[in-house]
Amino acid sequence: KYRVNLLEAAGLRPKPRTNMIVIAANQAVLPGGELAGPLFVVVSDVGLIAGVFPSAPSHADAEIVHTDLLLPGFVDIHTHGLGGGDDVMDTWKVPDHTTRLLAASGTTSLLASVIFPSDDPSGHLDAVLGSLKSRIGVAGNGAVIEGIHAEGPIVADLGGL
């Protein structure tokens, strides 16, 4: 269920290690918005959540990180990517740049917004969609692309997908 790399989301570069990290939070915001605490989140050696516990787990080799408040990551449901190119579609040819930057600012998952042109004789759209399709649901390089948000003439002409 939790696929984002927490180390990347915090703007840290994961480094090879053999020990786990335990995040000791005085309070945490849970799904649904309720506050709970204290909570202990065990992060595996590859940066993924291995468990959430109401009391400190016994991991002798774990690094303990203390925080007052632990929040879930943001979900961006409409982003054209971050890259500064002249064509917003070009951003999604290399989605890793956007996913890394979004994770560094707290966004853990997103929908990639794509403008569907009326015609595409060059096959530009196919290249973009192929790049995105290979990354949907894949964790490990920043925020996770959960799907594609379509906009453009296809929405106006057909009423959506």
Side-chain angles (χ1 to χ4, degrees), residues 31-52:
E34 64 270 15
L35 281 175
L39 280 181
F40 298 85
V41 179
V42 176
V43 181
S44 74
D45 59 345
V46 293
L48 301 177
I49 293 176
V52 179

Side-chain angles (χ1 to χ4, degrees), residues 20-36:
M20 294 185 172
I21 292 177
V22 175
I23 301 172
N26 291 333
Q27 289 188 314
V29 178
L30 301 176
E34 64 270 15
L35 281 175

